[in-house]
Amino acid sequence: TQSTRPQRLLGAVQKNATRGDPRSVVQAIDQFCRQKEWAMNVGDEKGCILDSVVSEVNPATVLELGTYCGYSTVRIASLLPPHAKLITLEFNPDFAAIARQVIAWAGLEDKVHLVEGASGDWIPKMTEQFGVKTFDLVFLDHWKDRYLPDTMLMEECGLLRKGSILLADNVICPGTPDYLEYVRSSPRYESQYFKSHLEYTKVEDGLEKSVFLG
Ligand SMILES: C[C@H](C[C@H]1O[C@@H](n2cnc3c(N)ncnc32)[C@H](O)[C@@H]1O)NC(=O)c1cc(-c2ccc(F)cc2)cc(O)c1O
Ligand SMILES: [Mg+2]
């Protein structure tokens, strides 16, 4: 039977990356996506911006919405301090299965909790299920029309504290207009746009970094 693109991406990791070496996993995926098949990872260019924000925040608790194959999960987890936790939500079971193996190949399974399910169902359960009070950093990279409702849900559930950082992928392409309008006009957020390109292309895209002011 035909393999899927995520399965071929995992194959490229297992063939070209060194077990336990997150940077080689990231490099193997970027090479696969540039030379073989495009895939919707945040990619190397926006990935550098992601890395700089993670390093600056130095978060103890991170929530990622939309794991896909685990590329950004590996980038973020490889930069976390020793006892930090990254919870990543993915509702497609096939993608989740691939992501688990990519994260394991990078040797980061102890820092990452991959939850199979939809953000709308799991955000209200974060505290009771994982003992998380608030998130220091949230990386939004799931369905683009879920960024705004899930941000409001996180506010309602008290998961954001003064200084929590939201970093959103794809705010230009495919685009998240309602989310952008909200974080840029709300007095409760201080927003900044990082202009970049859609992964592995010359098309404009960017990341929006928003600080929750409480
Ligand atoms: C949405 C996907 C990423 C993943 O998110 C999971 N997901 C969804 N909704 C939920 C939820 N509510 N809860 C948990 N997981 C959830 C899903 O299953 C995918 O695996 N990302 C994209 O579609 C995406 C698309 C493009 C793109 C850009 C130009 C084009 F011409 C074509 C595609 C670029 C990107 O950078 C993306 O990120
Ligand atoms: Mg994305």
Side-chain angles (χ1 to χ4, degrees):
T1 57
Q2 267 299 320
S3 68
T4 65
R5 180 168 308 182
Q7 284 169 331
R8 294 191 291 273
L9 181 148
L10 173 61
V13 166
Q14 294 168 332
K15 178 167 175 278
N16 303 316
T18 308
R19 267 186 178 282
D21 176 358
R23 299 317 302 170
S24 74
V25 168
V26 168
Q27 196 176 20
I29 296 172
D30 285 330
Q31 185 179 319
F32 173 80
C33 291
R34 284 195 180 282
Q35 294 174 5
K36 299 282 189 332
E37 303 180 57
W38 186 91
M40 57 186 174
N41 317 117
V42 73
D44 43 3
E45 192 180 314
K46 288 185 290 178
C48 286
I49 302 166
L50 171 63
D51 291 356
S52 62
V53 171
V54 174
S55 302
E56 176 200 338
V57 176
N58 200 32
T61 55
V62 184
L63 175 62
E64 176 179 62
L65 302 175
T67 316
Y68 186 42
C69 295
Y71 174 91
S72 48
T73 320
V74 167
R75 286 196 85 117
I76 296 167
S78 69
L79 296 172
L80 294 182
H83 305 291
K85 286 302 288 178
L86 165 53
I87 297 171
T88 183
L89 302 185
E90 174 53 56
F91 75 29
N92 180 310
D94 300 325
F95 296 163
I98 297 294
R100 284 190 205 290
Q101 297 173 79
V102 168
I103 293 159
W105 198 270
L108 293 167
E109 55 274 54
D110 294 347
K111 287 183 174 294
V112 177
H113 195 122
L114 196 162
V115 179
E116 241 175 271
S119 52
D121 301 333
W122 278 95
I123 285 171
K125 296 194 281 192
M126 280 298 145
T127 307
E128 86 195 57
Q129 294 288 327
F130 306 107
V132 170
K133 286 189 178 44
T134 57
F135 286 105
D136 301 326
L137 173 67
V138 182
F139 182 51
L140 299 95
D141 195 19
H142 58 332
W143 284 156
K144 310 314 163 190
D145 62 3
R146 288 295 315 175
Y147 284 29
L148 182 52
D150 284 343
T151 296
M152 293 173 156
L153 188 56
M154 286 187 285
E155 288 176 20
E156 279 157 40
C157 297
L159 289 170
L160 303 180
R161 51 130 175 116
K162 189 173 166 47
S164 289
I165 303 287
L166 302 185
L167 188 64
D169 189 24
N170 310 118
V171 296
I172 303 300
C173 177
T176 63
D178 58 346
Y179 172 80
L180 269 193
E181 167 60 29
Y182 179 74
V183 290
R184 289 178 175 176
S185 61
S186 165
R188 302 183 75 187
Y189 290 91
E190 181 58 44
S191 262
Q192 183 183 4
Y193 175 59
F194 292 83
K195 184 176 159 76
S196 183
H197 295 93
L198 176 68
E199 48 267 29
Y200 317 116
T201 76
K202 292 185 168 41
V203 172
E204 181 179 347
D205 188 20
L207 300 176
E208 186 83 359
K209 177 189 169 193
S210 307
V211 186
F212 185 61
L213 302 174

